[in-house]
């Protein structure tokens, strides 16, 4: 046979596969064996998990299959979802960064009990989100599957101390373990306590010493606010005001084999607690104590970053900063375009941020506005997200927590 290019084709000696000669457009996934089909489905976005049961009985069985969960656990990473926190705390709404859409999940039944109905999310890692109820007890939940469990109560003696930070570290392997870290005490006397899911218990509390080369002087009246007159003529407190869901906001990183928890002190400085070395230090202040600003700490690609919204020269500026350990100074790495940030000037905006990979999800809220912005650090791209509407009503959120949507994540 001669084709259009003029050369003569020869009979192929390649061994034919079983399905060759069939119309590939009519090829059905039903012809795949169970293991191969589960592998194929495991690569689909997690949002399709909710639609598996409506396809056919065979696919519905995969949703609860242990072998399917094992196949999902072998996927290196998932695009993040952002678990949104609203004032009512009675629903589970997420922003799916893959589909760029809002989704409403089934609220875990355990969180609807009377003793847990006021539980607020306080930390997240891997495919899990941790909640804390009014009694100071903790619950860990997989928002995708709705599975949830209560952790053993914390030692009452530990609950009497001022709680500064709650950090979570979950391992991505199938049926992997996770740990919850609580940092408490009064500066400069800090300690931390760890819950280990592998042993299902709280470990002994460990005191943190001040790092030898940290010469920061801690004020014993750190909890007392310092007030000053702002440019607008209003009285402002220098103490950082946190929304309830971000009161214990912190991030945890692993660098050179050392686990470090970062959190904001009541005066707005960053405190680093090295869990491996059992010491802590305080970072230099980003802005003068009498500056008007809102600040939050995030983790991106295993690195601690700080997001600051400040006002000067009759405008607002939102910037991302990284600390240079060599020069002991802060360096700006990204900034919101001025026309975009200027909208927040004079509106007493509070920012609550969370990092995920190269992205930072920012909730901006005040009495006058509620906005959500997604920042891509690599491209320095800032995108304001559409409002979330459920049943025709616009919802407003105070903050968000980032997690990987994994159906195999075990509580």
């Amino acid at each position: 046979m001669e084709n259009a290019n003029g050369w003569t084709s020869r009979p192929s000696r390649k061994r034919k596969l079983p399905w060759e000669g069939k119309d590939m457009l009519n090829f059905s996934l039903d012809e795949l064996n169970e293991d191969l089909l589960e592998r194929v489905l495991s690569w689909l976005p997690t949002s399709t998990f909710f639609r598996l049961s409506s396809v056919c009985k065979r696919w519905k069985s995969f949703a609860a299959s242990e072998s399917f969960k094992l196949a999902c656990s072998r996927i290196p990473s998932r695009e993040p979802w952002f678990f949104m926190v609203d004032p009512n705390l009675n629903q589970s709404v997420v922003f799916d960064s893959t589909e760029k859409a809002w989704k409403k999940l089934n609220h875990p039944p355990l969180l609807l009990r009377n003793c847990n109905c006021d539980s607020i999310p306080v930390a997240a890692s891997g495919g899990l989100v941790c909640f804390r109820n009014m009694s100071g007890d903790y619950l860990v939940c997989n928002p995708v599957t709705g599975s949830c469990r209560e952790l053993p109560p914390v030692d009452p003696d530990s609950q009497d101390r001022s709680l500064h930070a709650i950090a979570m570290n979950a391992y991505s392997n199938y049926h992997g373990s996770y740990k919850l870290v609580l940092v408490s005490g009064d500066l400069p006397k800090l300690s931390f306590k760890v819950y280990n899911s592998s042993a299902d218990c709280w470990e002994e509390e460990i005191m943190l010493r001040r790092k030898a080369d940290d010469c920061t002087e801690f004020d014993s009246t750190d909890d007392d606010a310092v007030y000053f007159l702002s440019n607008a003529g209003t009285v402002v407190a220098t103490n950082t005001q946190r929304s309830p869901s971000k009161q214990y906001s912190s991030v945890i990183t692993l660098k050179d084999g050392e686990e470090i928890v970062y959190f904001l002190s009541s005066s707005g400085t960053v405190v680093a607690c090295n869990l491996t070395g059992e010491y802590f230090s305080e970072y230099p202040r980003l802005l003068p104590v009498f500056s008007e600003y809102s600040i939050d700490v995030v983790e991106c690609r295993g690195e601690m970053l700080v997001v600051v919204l400040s006002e000067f020269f009759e405008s607002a500026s939102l910037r991302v900063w990284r600390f240079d350990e060599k020069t002991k100074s802060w360096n700006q790495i990204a900034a919101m375009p001025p026309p975009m940030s200027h909208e927040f000037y004079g509106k007493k905006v509070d920012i609550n941020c969370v990092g995920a990979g190269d992205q930072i999800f920012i909730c901006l809220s005040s009495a006058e506005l509620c906005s959500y912005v997604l920042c891509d650090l690599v491209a320095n791209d800032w995108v304001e997200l559409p409002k979330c509407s459920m049943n025709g009503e616009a919802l407003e959120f105070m903050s968000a927590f980032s997690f990987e949507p994994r159906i195999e994540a075990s509580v």
Side-chain angles (χ1 to χ4, degrees):
M1 179 182 293
E2 188 172 303
N3 68 5
N5 292 327
W7 53 269
T8 304
S9 62
R10 299 178 181 177
S12 174
R13 296 182 180 179
K14 182 180 177 181
R15 184 178 63 182
K16 289 188 176 182
L17 297 175
W19 56 75
E20 284 190 354
K22 294 183 180 180
D23 185 355
M24 293 301 291
L25 295 177
N26 294 328
F27 176 73
S28 172
L29 287 177
D30 290 335
E31 296 183 36
L32 296 177
N33 62 40
E34 298 287 320
D35 290 341
L36 188 54
L37 180 55
E38 287 180 343
R39 290 186 191 180
V40 172
L41 297 179
S42 68
W43 282 94
L44 295 175
T46 305
S47 57
T48 60
F49 168 74
F50 302 104
R51 300 192 284 267
L52 287 180
S53 59
S54 61
V55 176
C56 61
K57 290 183 178 180
R58 187 188 182 195
W59 285 31
K60 182 177 181 179
S61 66
F62 290 157
S65 166
E66 290 299 314
S67 57
F68 177 59
K69 293 179 181 178
L70 180 59
C72 290
S73 70
R74 291 169 176 161
I75 306 303
S77 62
R78 302 280 188 185
E79 288 298 311
W81 283 8
F82 298 96
F83 188 92
M84 308 305 297
V85 184
D86 73 310
N88 298 322
L89 301 172
N90 60 356
Q91 55 187 337
S92 296
V93 177
V94 298
F95 180 78
D96 182 346
S97 66
T98 303
E99 298 186 359
K100 299 293 189 291
W102 300 96
K103 290 180 169 54
K104 186 172 182 178
L105 308 180
N106 292 327
H107 206 53
L110 190 58
L111 293 177
L112 296 176
R113 292 183 183 176
N114 290 336
C115 60
N116 297 324
C117 61
D118 293 327
S119 296
I120 59 174
V122 290
S125 180
L128 304 175
V129 176
C130 178
F131 293 78
R132 186 176 189 263
N133 63 21
M134 297 299 290
S135 302
D137 295 323
Y138 297 90
L139 304 92
V140 174
C141 167
N142 181 332
V144 178
T145 63
S147 59
C148 196
R149 69 180 290 257
E150 296 173 300
L151 303 188
V154 186
D155 183 2
D157 292 338
S158 300
Q159 290 188 336
D160 293 337
R161 300 186 185 91
S162 299
L163 184 60
H164 292 289
I166 303 173
M168 189 177 187
N169 195 357
Y171 304 95
S172 59
N173 55 311
Y174 186 45
H175 288 316
S177 60
Y178 58 88
K179 63 182 179 182
L180 192 67
V181 182
L182 311 182
V183 179
S184 58
D186 295 309
L187 288 169
K189 297 179 180 179
L190 294 177
S191 63
F192 72 93
K193 197 175 185 69
V194 175
Y195 168 78
N196 191 328
S197 69
S198 298
D200 190 26
C201 68
W202 292 92
E203 299 174 356
E204 290 295 322
E205 191 166 20
I206 297 176
M207 298 299 298
L208 292 167
R209 68 184 187 280
R210 184 188 298 182
K211 190 178 180 181
D213 59 354
D214 183 15
C215 301
T216 307
E217 291 294 332
F218 293 100
D219 188 354
S220 60
T221 60
D222 187 51
D223 289 334
D224 296 332
V226 176
Y227 296 89
F228 67 97
L229 196 64
S230 72
N231 295 333
T234 57
V235 177
V236 180
T238 58
N239 269 20
T240 303
Q241 303 298 314
R242 311 292 292 166
S243 66
S245 62
K246 301 290 281 187
Q247 183 178 355
Y248 310 113
S249 176
S250 61
V251 297
I252 186 168
T253 65
L254 181 63
K255 184 177 182 180
D256 300 328
E258 295 185 323
E259 280 188 307
I260 305 176
V261 171
Y262 301 88
F263 69 91
L264 293 172
S265 69
S266 60
S267 60
T269 57
V270 178
V271 178
C273 299
N274 189 309
L275 307 184
T276 307
E278 300 180 4
Y279 63 82
F280 75 93
S281 59
E282 189 177 28
Y283 281 51
R285 183 179 292 278
L286 264 162
L287 295 175
V289 68
F290 296 117
S291 298
E292 295 179 68
Y293 64 92
S294 180
I295 183 172
D296 206 355
V297 59
V298 300
E299 179 271 329
C300 292
R301 299 292 183 193
E303 185 176 39
M304 182 274 294
L305 303 174
V306 168
V307 185
V308 179
L309 175 65
S310 57
E311 295 188 1
F312 57 93
F313 297 126
E314 298 185 352
S315 186
S317 172
L318 197 153
R319 303 169 186 266
V320 183
W321 301 81
R322 174 192 289 123
F323 189 75
D324 188 328
E325 295 289 350
K326 294 182 179 179
T327 62
K328 302 298 180 184
S329 62
W330 292 98
N331 297 324
Q332 178 184 308
I333 62 171
M336 178 181 283
M340 195 173 182
S341 61
H342 181 70
E343 297 180 14
F344 309 126
Y345 177 70
K347 295 183 171 61
K348 304 184 186 304
V349 174
D350 177 46
I351 62 169
N352 290 291
C353 315
V354 61
D358 295 317
Q359 302 177 90
I360 299 179
F361 188 99
I362 306 169
C363 292
L364 302 108
S365 57
S366 72
E368 300 179 43
L369 63 85
C370 188
S371 179
Y372 319 107
V373 174
L374 197 59
C375 167
D376 185 320
L377 292 174
V378 176
N380 193 24
D381 187 30
W382 302 74
V383 178
E384 184 173 3
L385 303 181
K387 297 292 183 182
C388 174
S389 296
M390 295 290 175
N391 300 321
E393 181 181 354
L395 301 181
E396 294 186 350
F397 305 104
M398 302 179 294
S399 59
F401 289 84
S402 171
F403 72 100
E404 283 191 60
R406 289 186 169 273
I407 67 169
E408 76 277 9
S410 174
V411 299

